[in-house]
């Protein structure tokens, strides 16, 4: 499983994302640029330029037609994946920390930072998908609300229409109705520190969250109850669910500001594979020399990529042994 | 308006009522005054008042009442004095009781209330009820464990846990904080007694000892703000030390187990463990030497191996040896040794113990206690190491040394050898090198061998029960001024006694290491070299010194050092402590949060360096194996076991096999349960979402599994290009 090293960013990675087919990998970083790569060989297909600040987040729709990005220059941008053109720009008073499409990419949700007297806000925009009218988007959000209490850090659309799941700075995980801004359900004690990542299962019925409290957890998306807990010895920045195999991938490491004071080994900059049912660690992949900020898995589960504070993306294609090995014997585990 | 009359003030009155002291606590009875008639009354009263006032208790004649015998016209030989309060009365009793008033009269002072109470005492004898005998838990019960497991204690955050150490299935907890009453909290650290019978916790109020299978409190020693403790080798006595001098507040409980006002100002206390009584206190502050106040030597009191004597050194002056249990100075005088710096008792070997046990049967006298001390160079006197017999105080051997900077005394644990590590300086005092002066204590006239080394020796360690030792030497220029990121390069060398020449010969040197700690297995043979206290290096090396099997022993004897073999290496990041278990089969390493906060926790390794368990826990502080007492098996019995090891091991192997299948069955069952639960939950959630349907998007889980596309990639490669130039 020799990794492909993607050296296209000059600063630390913030988020990486596969498209629905898994042939493309989108990466964004603090160096203001979004890159797109062929996932099978690591060749760079192109860049999306125009942001004037750290790009915190990207998402790509199911047809690989549109890309949205959220940036520290207080903009949310809609890009054409194929041409690299910026189709539309929304401006806000504060930075955009997280974006996500809904399942059929007719809507996009974004979280803006709480700063300079502005509250953390969640907005939902309709996306005009008609051919030829891509640049004609409505400026005003369809829904807008300020989540009360601790600010939201991550979010995603659930299966239910107009319901999003959010992770918060306090460690709370909650369900919001975006129409009313009402909190439908919450789990205040899902984590004891900032929720750093939230990724959904393929069928969007459960999700995995990672947190600075050194644990990752699988939640039922309706009840928000914790189903599984994976406790590591390092703050976690990202967690992803491997399709077709019963694993979760966790990445993190000593905080970037503390890294210089510790040795490489001490930093624990490894991708950890945990068995998602037995809650046991099954393996680690080394490579980064900074904390891992983001992990994404190929939708077919054949490869995964990790983006680190060190500015590299490492794409790993799983060997046959990964698919054939049955370390716990032949057991049928539902995905 | 109603007047105030209707309001009941009784509650307020009751609350603020001034209570007059109407008890008679402040009245004392003075007995034994001269019998006089009325004429001499004034003179006597003024005299008594003067005597009391002289002792600091002002008494006026008005406060004295003297009863008279009207028949004789004389007084009755006693009087009452009323003081302002009970405190003054007790002061007067303390000062004037048994006071010699004149040649014939001695004052006897009692509290008035006492006299009243004793006169009303019931004189009939009531037989005390015999308490029913409650069997106590056996303090050494853990030794009877059928699997022969060892125990260890961990202290993490505010929680102490004691575990059994065995195979994974047998590593259960022997004590959990939940099962203990709230007394196990708020303490500095925990410590085992040397034979493992008790575990001690250091609290603000003093030391507590716990033991038995349910870890009940066994004893307590009220030494407030205790910081350090030290058990005697035989677990009979305990030494406690606090940096704060003892203060005994008024009204403190009194008794043999408490500190008394006489102990005020001292900070070192010796206790009897079984009775809990305080034996004696000392002060460690040395008035003559202000330097010694900065750092105390610990243990401050050194025990003879048989618990009969305890000695302490007054640097530069003397060694004071006290007898136990009286704690009197032995022979009523200290050993006056000009310039003495340090000393060590000779430990008792297994042989000595056997001899001591048989001393009653055979006329042969067991070996006397011995202590070794050293004195530095003073004026024209050379430095000197002395071997002294005790209690005979006979000097057995003396060795003069020159150009000495520092000496350290290392006894081999059987008392066979004494090594004096002498740090010597060259004439210019610029560089330091090292000599090892090795006394062979079991031989006649105590011959001394010298091993000369060019480098500075930072650590020295005898093999337990062996004739080998290991040293860590370093010629690194950074030695002595280490800082963050500086790792000192060291060489580790092993030496062995060569019986042919009767000297210690180098077995092997392992050069260019970073190891700074030597840990011999308590059984000898195996040794671990560790790099402790470094932030960049944390290696562990597991060595076997007798690797060659028995058949080739003959050959090994000819070839020095060939039996030394590295069994394995390991790494425990930022480890601070390394400790062998009592059996010498396992090694524990720990990183304590007292030293740093990086990756605190502990790991247990086997003697080959294979990791058995590793736990990283925030706020981890302490890991200590529970010591074991000496084996009760005789030499013959041990030999017999070693000979028939195969037979014994068969049974254990069977147990292991059974155990293993048991464990895996359990684990499989657990995993099956987990999988079933998971699948059930998945099924439920899927049905739920499929059931209400409306939540399903166009791109559900079923549709997004496209056929795998095969993409052919044409790669054009230029293998090699050679331009051929045709020369015409």
């Amino acid at each position: 499983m020799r990794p492909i090293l993607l050296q296209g960013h000059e600063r630390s990675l913030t988020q990486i994302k596969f498209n629905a087919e898994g042939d493309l990998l989108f990466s964004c970083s603090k160096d203001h640029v979004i890159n797109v790569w062929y996932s099978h060989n690591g060749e760079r297909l192109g860049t999306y330029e125009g942001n004037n600040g750290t790009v915190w987040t990207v998402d790509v729709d199911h047809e690989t037609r549109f890309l949205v990005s959220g940036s520290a220059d207080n903009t949310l941008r809609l890009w054409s994946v194929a041409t690299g053109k910026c189709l539309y720009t929304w401006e806000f008073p504060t930075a955009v920390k997280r974006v996500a499409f809904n399942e059929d990419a007719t809507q996009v949700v974004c979280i803006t930072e709480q700063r300079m007297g502005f509250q953390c806000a969640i907005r939902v925009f309709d996306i005009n998908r008609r051919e030829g009218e891509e640049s004609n988007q409505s400026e005003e959000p369809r829904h807008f609300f300020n989540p009360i209490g601790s600010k939201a850090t991550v979010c995603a659309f659930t299966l239910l229409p107009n319901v999003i799941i959010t992770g918060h700075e306090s460690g709370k995980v909650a369900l919001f109705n975006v129409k009313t801004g009402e909190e439908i359900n919450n789990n205040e004690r899902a984590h004891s520190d900032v929720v750093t990542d939230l990724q959904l299962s393929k069928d969007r019925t459960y999700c995995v969250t990672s947190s600075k409290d050194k644990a990752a957890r699988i939640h039922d998306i309706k009840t928000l109850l914790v189903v599984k807990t994976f406790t590591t010895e390092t703050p976690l920045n990202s967690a992803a669910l491997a399709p077709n195999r019963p694993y979760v991938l966790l990445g993190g490491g000593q905080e970037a500001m503390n890294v210089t004071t510790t040795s490489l080994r001490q930093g624990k900059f490894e991708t950890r594979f945990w068995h998602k049912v037995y809650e046991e660690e099954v393996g680690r992949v080394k490579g980064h020399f900074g904390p891992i900020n983001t992990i994404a898995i190929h939708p077919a589960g054949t490869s995964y990529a990790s983006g680190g504070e060190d500015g590299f993306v490492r794409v790993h294609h799983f060997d046959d042994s990964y698919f054939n090995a049955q370390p716990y014997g032949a057991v049928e585990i539902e995905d | 308006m109603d007047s105030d009359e209707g309001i009941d003030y009784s509650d307020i009155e009751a609350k603020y009522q001034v209570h007059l002291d109407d008890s008679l606590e402040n009245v004392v009875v003075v007995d034994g005054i001269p019998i006089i008639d009325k004429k001499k009354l004034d003179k006597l009263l003024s005299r008594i008042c003067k005597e009391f006032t002289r002792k600091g208790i002002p008494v006026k004649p008005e406060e004295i009442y003297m009863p008279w015998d009207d028949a004789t016209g004389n007084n009755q030989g006693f009087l009452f004095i009323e003081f302002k309060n009970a405190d003054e009365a007790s002061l007067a009793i303390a000062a004037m009781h048994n006071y010699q008033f004149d040649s014939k009269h001695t004052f006897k002072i009692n509290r008035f209330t006492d006299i009243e109470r004793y006169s009303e005492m019931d004189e009939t004898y009531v037989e005390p009820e015999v308490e029913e005998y409650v069997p106590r838990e056996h303090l050494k019960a853990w030794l009877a464990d059928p699997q022969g497991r060892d125990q260890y204690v961990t202290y993490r955050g505010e929680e102490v846990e004691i575990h059994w150490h065995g195979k994974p299935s047998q590593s259960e907890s022997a004590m959990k904080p939940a099962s203990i009453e709230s007394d196990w909290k708020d303490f500095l650290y925990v410590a085992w007694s040397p034979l493992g019978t008790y575990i001690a916790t250091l609290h603000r109020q003093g030391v507590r000892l716990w033991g038995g299978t349910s870890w009940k409190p066994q004893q307590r020693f009220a030494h407030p703000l205790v910081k350090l403790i030290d058990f005697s080798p035989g677990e009979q006595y305990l030494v406690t030390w606090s940096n704060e001098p003892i203060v005994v507040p008024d009204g403190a409980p009194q008794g043999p187990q408490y500190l008394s006002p006489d102990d005020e100002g001292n900070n070192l206390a010796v206790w009897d463990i079984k009775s809990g009584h305080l034996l004696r206190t000392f002060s460690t502050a040395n008035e003559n030497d202000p330097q010694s106040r900065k750092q105390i030597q610990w243990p401050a009191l050194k025990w003879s191996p048989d618990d009969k004597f305890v000695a302490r050194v007054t640097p530069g002056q003397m060694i004071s040896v006290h007898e136990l249990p009286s704690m009197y100075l032995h022979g009523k005088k200290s050993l006056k040794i000009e310039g003495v710096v340090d000393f060590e008792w000779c430990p008792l070997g297994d042989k000595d113990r056997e001899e001591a046990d048989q001393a009653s049967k055979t006329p042969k006298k067991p070996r006397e206690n011995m202590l070794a001390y050293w004195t530095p160079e003073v004026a024209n006197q050379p430095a000197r190491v002395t071997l002294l017999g005790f209690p005979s105080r006979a000097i057995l051997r003396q060795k003069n040394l020159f150009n000495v900077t520092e000496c350290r005394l290392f006894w081999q644990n059987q008392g066979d050898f004494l090594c004096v590590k002498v740090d010597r300086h060259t004439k210019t005092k610029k560089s330091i090198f090292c000599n090892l002066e090795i006394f062979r204590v079991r031989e006649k006239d105590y011959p001394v061998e010298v091993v000369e080394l060019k480098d500075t020796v930072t650590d020295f360690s005898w093999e337990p029960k062996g004739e080998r030792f290991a040293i860590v030497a370093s010629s690194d220029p950074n030695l002595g001024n280490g800082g963050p990121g500086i790792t000192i390069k060291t060489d580790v060398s092993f030496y062995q006694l060569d019986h042919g020449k009767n000297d210690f010969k180098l077995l092997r040197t392992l050069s260019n290491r970073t190891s700074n700690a030597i840990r011999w297995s308590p059984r000898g043979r195996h040794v671990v070299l560790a790099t402790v206290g470094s932030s960049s290096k944390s290696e562990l090396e597991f060595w076997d010194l007798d690797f060659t099997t028995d058949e080739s022993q003959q050959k090994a004897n000819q070839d020095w050092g060939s039996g030394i073999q590295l069994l394995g290496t390991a790494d425990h990041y930022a480890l601070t402590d390394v400790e062998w278990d009592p059996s010498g089969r396992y090694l524990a390493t720990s990183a304590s949060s007292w030293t740093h906060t990086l990756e605190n926790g502990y790991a247990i390794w086997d003697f080959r360096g294979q990791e058995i368990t590793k736990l990283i826990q925030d706020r981890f502080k302490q890991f200590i194996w529970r010591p074991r007492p000496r084996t009760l098996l005789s030499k013959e019995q041990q030999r017999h076991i070693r000979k028939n090891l195969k037979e014994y091991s068969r049974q254990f192997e069977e147990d292991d096999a059974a155990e293993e299948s048991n464990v895996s069955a359990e684990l499989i069952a657990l995993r099956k349960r987990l999988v079933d639960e998971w699948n059930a939950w998945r099924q439920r959630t899927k049905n739920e979402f499929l059931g209400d349907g409306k939540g399903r998007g166009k791109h559900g889980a079923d549709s997004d599994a496209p056929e795998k596309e095969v993409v052919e990639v044409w790669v054009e490669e230029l293998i090699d290009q050679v331009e051929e130039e045709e020369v015409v």
Side-chain angles (χ1 to χ4, degrees):
Chain A
M1 196 166 73
R2 195 181 161 81
I4 303 167
L5 202 58
L6 310 185
Q7 300 171 292
H9 288 289
E10 289 169 359
R11 289 196 57 198
S12 50
L13 274 292
T14 49
Q15 196 175 14
I16 56 176
K17 217 99 209 205
F18 280 98
N19 66 345
E21 286 76 30
D23 60 332
L24 297 181
L25 177 68
F26 297 87
S27 64
C28 60
S29 118
K30 289 187 179 171
D31 65 3
H32 308 183
V33 180
I34 304 162
N35 281 318
V36 57
W37 317 78
Y38 285 115
S39 63
H40 72 282
N41 62 359
E43 194 180 318
R44 184 158 68 174
L45 180 60
T47 59
Y48 302 87
E49 285 174 40
N51 279 311
N52 288 320
T54 296
V55 187
W56 286 117
T57 169
V58 288
D59 198 14
V60 59
D61 71 356
H62 60 286
E63 293 174 321
T64 322
R65 191 165 147 220
F66 295 124
L67 180 77
V68 281
S69 67
S71 161
D73 62 4
N74 303 349
T75 62
L76 170 73
R77 284 165 201 260
L78 184 73
W79 310 80
S80 160
V81 172
T83 61
K85 274 196 192 123
C86 179
L87 299 171
Y88 196 82
T89 306
W90 290 270
E91 287 221 30
F92 307 114
T94 58
V96 181
K97 292 294 279 190
R98 189 79 171 192
V99 294
F101 277 115
N102 66 349
E103 210 172 5
D104 50 9
T106 53
Q107 289 186 324
V108 64
V109 60
C110 77
I111 295 176
T112 51
E113 182 69 291
Q114 160 187 337
R115 193 148 292 166
M116 298 183 295
F118 292 99
Q119 272 185 291
C120 168
I122 295 179
R123 294 176 178 83
V124 176
F125 294 94
D126 282 336
I127 301 293
N128 185 354
R129 299 183 66 85
R130 271 178 298 233
E131 296 285 339
E133 291 181 26
E134 291 94 343
S135 300
N136 181 21
Q137 304 289 349
S138 67
E139 195 191 329
E140 286 307 308
R142 161 72 51 153
H143 309 296
F144 170 90
F145 68 97
N146 299 108
I148 34 158
S150 173
K151 73 173 186 192
T153 51
V154 289
C155 67
F157 277 101
T158 66
L159 274 178
L160 302 170
N162 294 319
V163 176
I164 58 162
I165 181 166
T166 54
H168 294 256
E169 196 179 31
S170 65
K172 175 173 84 169
V173 172
L175 287 174
F176 282 96
N177 185 329
V178 289
K179 266 184 173 167
T180 59
E182 171 206 2
E183 195 174 272
I184 300 166
N185 195 356
N186 73 37
N187 183 353
E188 288 282 354
R189 304 194 172 276
H191 285 283
S192 56
D193 206 339
V194 191
V195 178
T196 50
D197 197 8
L198 184 152
Q199 298 195 19
L200 296 172
S201 71
K202 213 154 122 190
D203 60 1
R204 299 201 179 208
T205 57
Y206 65 97
C207 68
V208 62
T209 55
S210 65
S211 164
K212 290 284 182 204
D213 70 0
K214 305 183 177 179
R217 292 189 164 91
I218 287 182
H219 304 266
D220 186 305
I221 210 152
K222 202 165 183 185
T223 61
L224 299 183
L225 291 179
V226 174
V227 181
K228 295 285 171 190
T229 301
F230 314 100
T231 310
T232 69
E233 64 271 38
T234 177
L236 293 177
N237 294 329
S238 191
L241 292 155
N244 306 328
R245 297 288 290 155
Y247 302 126
V248 290
L249 275 64
L250 314 178
Q254 198 68 223
E255 297 270 3
M257 59 187 292
N258 298 332
V259 166
T260 49
T261 62
T262 58
S263 78
L264 192 63
R265 221 202 110 278
Q266 160 70 1
K268 308 184 185 308
F269 311 135
E270 297 144 323
T271 307
R272 295 127 193 278
F273 285 66
W274 281 66
H275 197 287
K276 76 179 171 193
V277 178
Y278 302 147
E279 300 175 313
E280 281 174 23
E281 190 177 310
V282 290
R284 288 186 189 190
V285 175
K286 285 196 282 196
H288 283 285
F289 44 88
I292 291 171
N293 286 340
T294 171
I295 293 180
I297 304 185
H298 191 289
T302 56
S303 62
Y304 87 92
S306 55
E309 187 73 21
D310 55 7
F312 295 120
V313 177
R314 301 173 76 90
V315 182
H316 301 254
H317 292 274
F318 292 122
D319 295 331
D320 285 343
S321 60
Y322 169 81
F323 301 102
N324 302 335
Q326 293 187 320
Y328 297 96
V331 270
E332 286 277 317
I333 294 172
E334 300 245 356
D335 204 20
Chain B
M1 284 289 285
D2 277 345
S3 69
D4 285 354
E5 286 159 23
I7 302 168
D8 184 11
Y9 284 112
S10 62
D11 53 336
I12 297 172
E13 273 166 10
K15 192 172 172 187
Y16 291 104
Q17 195 183 8
V18 176
H19 286 285
L20 291 169
D21 192 3
D22 48 6
S23 75
L24 293 170
E25 288 285 336
N26 56 338
V27 178
V28 299
V29 183
V30 182
D31 238 322
I33 56 167
I35 309 269
I36 47 153
D37 53 22
K38 288 237 166 159
K39 277 180 261 169
K40 288 184 182 168
L41 175 63
D42 287 341
K43 204 175 163 197
L44 177 67
L45 283 183
S46 68
R47 172 87 194 283
I48 290 173
C49 290
K50 210 170 91 191
E51 296 291 343
F52 270 87
T53 312
R54 218 167 52 163
K55 289 276 180 177
I57 312 127
V59 175
K60 292 192 195 97
E62 303 90 87
E63 291 162 352
I64 299 175
Y65 172 73
M66 196 179 286
W68 289 91
D69 186 349
D70 290 332
T72 58
N74 289 342
N75 70 347
Q76 299 187 336
F78 61 93
L79 53 80
F80 299 94
I81 308 178
E82 187 174 354
F83 290 97
K84 284 193 196 72
N85 49 43
D87 284 348
E88 263 188 38
S90 30
L91 197 66
I93 292 169
M96 295 297 286
H97 187 58
N98 280 339
Y99 179 74
Q100 191 87 30
F101 184 64
D102 56 32
S103 57
K104 281 180 197 149
H105 298 95
T106 303
F107 285 170
K108 301 280 181 195
I109 307 185
N110 284 299
R111 273 178 216 282
F112 183 71
T113 46
D114 280 355
I115 288 176
E116 211 162 57
R117 196 168 74 229
Y118 291 125
S119 65
E120 284 167 14
M121 278 267 279
D122 194 1
E123 293 276 323
T124 51
Y125 173 69
V126 183
E127 196 167 334
E129 232 173 274
V130 178
E131 260 182 69
E132 206 178 318
Y133 172 69
V134 185
R136 287 176 57 170
E137 286 171 347
H138 200 293
L139 291 176
K140 293 189 173 169
W142 97 101
L143 294 172
D145 177 55
Q147 279 106 21
R149 293 171 294 179
D150 277 307
Q151 290 189 341
Y152 60 86
V153 62
T154 58
Y155 180 25
R156 179 193 169 220
E158 300 301 317
E159 285 173 13
V160 167
E161 274 186 63
I162 297 168
H163 311 261
W164 287 102
H165 176 248
K167 283 170 283 181
S169 63
Q170 302 169 348
S171 301
E172 72 247 12
S173 162
M175 183 201 77
K176 270 230 149 130
S179 67
I180 320 148
E181 62 261 56
S182 54
D183 291 347
W184 283 79
K185 60 177 189 193
D186 300 333
F187 49 85
L188 284 176
Y189 59 88
V190 294
W192 290 105
S193 62
L195 304 181
T197 314
Y198 306 102
I199 187 164
T201 51
L202 276 72
H203 302 257
R204 246 188 100 75
Q205 300 87 346
V207 181
R208 291 200 82 155
L209 296 187
W210 315 78
T213 41
S214 57
W215 306 99
K216 292 238 168 63
Q218 300 293 341
Q219 198 57 267
R220 54 165 87 203
F221 308 100
H223 188 169
L225 301 172
V226 59
K227 291 278 151 58
L228 291 170
I229 60 168
D230 180 38
F231 287 89
S232 74
E235 289 186 345
Q236 296 186 53
Y237 309 103
L238 178 77
V239 183
T240 58
W241 175 84
S242 164
N243 54 339
E244 302 284 332
I246 292 165
V247 177
V248 181
D250 292 335
Q254 291 182 355
Q257 61 270 58
Y258 295 104
L259 297 162
S260 70
D262 294 344
D263 302 317
E264 283 209 26
N266 291 346
N267 49 8
L268 191 68
V270 183
W271 312 78
D272 186 308
I273 288 179
K274 286 211 179 74
S275 65
H277 289 183
L278 175 69
L279 297 181
R280 187 164 172 172
T281 55
F282 296 97
S283 169
T284 50
N286 188 349
E287 294 80 15
N288 302 337
D289 187 5
Q291 271 190 335
S292 68
R293 260 177 230 171
K294 285 177 196 157
Q295 201 169 21
I296 66 142
Q297 271 192 343
W298 192 256
L301 293 177
K302 290 180 181 167
W303 295 91
S304 72
D306 52 6
D307 272 16
K308 280 187 187 144
F309 304 105
V310 65
R312 70 187 194 122
V313 64
T314 311
Q317 296 171 22
M318 59 191 173
I319 299 172
S320 316
V321 185
H322 299 265
E323 278 176 298
L324 267 303
S326 65
M327 283 307 283
Y328 292 143
L329 200 58
H330 178 264
K332 293 196 178 150
K333 59 174 191 251
S334 303
L335 291 155
K336 290 255 189 290
I337 304 153
E338 190 72 27
V340 62
V341 178
D342 199 9
F343 73 99
E344 291 289 343
W345 288 97
C346 171
L348 273 182
D350 291 342
K351 232 194 296 180
D352 303 315
R353 286 181 202 275
E354 266 168 44
E355 277 174 20
D357 290 343
Q358 291 165 358
S360 47
K361 295 170 207 161
T362 55
K364 198 183 155 197
K365 251 179 75 177
R367 186 159 85 151
E368 195 184 26
N369 269 318
M370 251 188 286
L371 54 85
Y373 61 84
W374 76 280
T375 52
E377 281 162 295
V378 191
N380 284 330
Q381 283 259 14
R384 189 174 279 169
V385 175
T386 311
L387 210 55
L388 187 85
F390 203 87
S392 69
R393 304 192 182 209
I395 290 175
L396 306 172
R397 180 78 160 87
Q398 244 176 357
K399 170 110 201 243
N400 291 347
L401 304 163
F402 301 93
N403 301 337
V404 174
T405 311
E406 173 74 41
C407 280
R408 292 275 312 271
L409 308 163
F410 296 94
W411 282 99
Q412 188 242 22
N413 77 336
Q414 296 293 306
D416 295 343
F417 308 105
L418 166 70
C419 175
V420 185
K421 180 173 87 74
V422 190
D423 289 337
R424 301 182 59 188
H425 51 82
T426 46
K427 286 245 166 72
T428 54
K429 298 203 175 179
K430 266 185 187 155
S431 57
I432 284 189
F433 60 103
C434 193
N435 275 12
L436 302 176
E437 311 269 343
I438 301 169
F439 292 67
R440 296 207 303 282
V441 182
R442 298 266 175 207
E443 286 169 43
K444 202 172 168 253
D445 295 336
Y446 310 97
V448 182
E449 227 56 62
V450 185
V451 177
E452 290 191 21
L453 301 159
K454 287 195 192 70
D455 296 331
T456 317
V457 173
T458 55
D459 199 6
F460 175 97
S461 186
W462 281 106
E463 176 184 23
K465 302 180 182 176
E467 296 176 341
R468 288 180 285 222
F469 63 84
I471 54 168
V472 178
S474 176
S475 53
D476 198 308
N478 283 325
L479 188 67
N481 42 4
I486 295 177
T487 337
I488 308 286
K489 286 268 174 244
T490 55
D491 299 330
V492 181
S493 309
F494 299 106
Y495 288 80
Q496 183 169 5
L497 178 68
D498 183 347
H499 282 283
K501 290 190 194 137
N502 264 335
D503 63 352
F504 282 86
K505 207 164 134 186
L506 180 67
L507 278 174
R508 186 156 161 194
T509 297
L510 314 167
S511 55
N512 224 355
R513 304 286 150 145
T514 54
S515 319
N516 51 18
I518 308 165
R519 296 287 184 276
W520 287 94
S521 149
R523 306 236 156 212
R525 177 168 163 180
H526 296 285
V527 64
V528 164
L529 309 176
T531 311
V532 175
S534 160
S535 56
S536 51
K537 285 271 187 181
S538 50
E539 274 180 353
L540 296 165
E541 287 182 37
F542 295 76
W543 289 86
D544 184 350
L545 268 68
D546 293 322
F547 186 73
T548 38
T549 45
D550 292 13
E551 295 107 72
S552 55
Q553 197 118 53
Q554 236 63 32
K555 217 170 125 199
N557 277 349
Q558 291 158 10
D559 194 4
W560 278 83
S562 67
I564 300 182
Q565 176 78 32
L566 180 67
L567 296 178
T569 54
D571 193 278
H572 182 174
Y573 181 74
L575 80 164
T576 54
D577 298 278
V578 185
E579 200 192 359
W580 282 92
D581 82 324
S583 71
R585 294 194 296 166
Y586 302 101
L587 181 88
T589 54
S590 55
S592 165
S593 61
W594 284 324
T595 316
H596 57 69
T597 53
L598 306 173
E599 233 177 284
N600 300 129
Y602 66 91
I604 300 177
W605 319 78
D606 70 3
F607 69 98
R608 294 168 303 166
Q610 307 279 315
E611 184 180 300
I612 291 180
T613 36
K614 185 163 193 173
L615 259 175
I616 305 244
Q617 296 175 315
D618 289 346
R619 300 179 297 131
F620 183 85
K621 294 176 183 165
Q622 236 185 335
F623 179 105
I624 328 173
W625 291 102
R626 184 173 199 174
R628 277 172 176 268
R630 224 160 50 89
T631 177
L632 296 173
L633 299 174
S634 68
K635 277 248 169 71
E636 285 71 42
Q637 284 168 312
Q638 291 183 43
R639 211 171 294 133
H640 178 77
I641 292 173
R642 219 170 289 135
K643 222 176 181 179
N644 301 316
L645 198 61
K646 279 218 173 99
E647 271 173 46
Y648 288 102
S649 69
R650 194 183 307 138
Q651 193 208 327
F652 285 111
E653 270 155 24
E654 276 166 20
D655 288 354
D656 281 1
E659 182 81 40
E660 215 161 279
S661 60
N662 238 349
V663 171
S664 51
E666 257 171 51
L667 197 62
I668 286 167
L670 172 75
R671 284 188 175 145
K672 184 160 184 324
R673 192 169 57 80
L674 286 174
V675 168
D676 289 348
E677 277 173 15
W678 171 270
N679 287 351
W681 171 67
R682 292 298 302 133
Q683 211 57 54
R684 212 163 53 237
T685 50
K686 272 182 187 168
N687 287 343
E688 216 170 289
F689 280 100
L690 283 172
D692 63 5
K694 60 182 186 234
R696 305 288 300 163
K698 294 166 207 161
H699 307 274
D702 309 320
S703 61
D704 61 2
E707 289 300 301
K708 203 172 178 184
E709 262 178 80
V710 179
V711 182
E712 275 184 52
V713 184
W714 286 89
V715 184
E716 225 174 278
E717 262 181 282
L718 192 59
I719 308 292
D720 200 5
Q721 191 172 9
V722 184
E723 257 178 52
E724 288 178 29
E725 277 181 47
E726 279 181 41
V727 183
V728 182

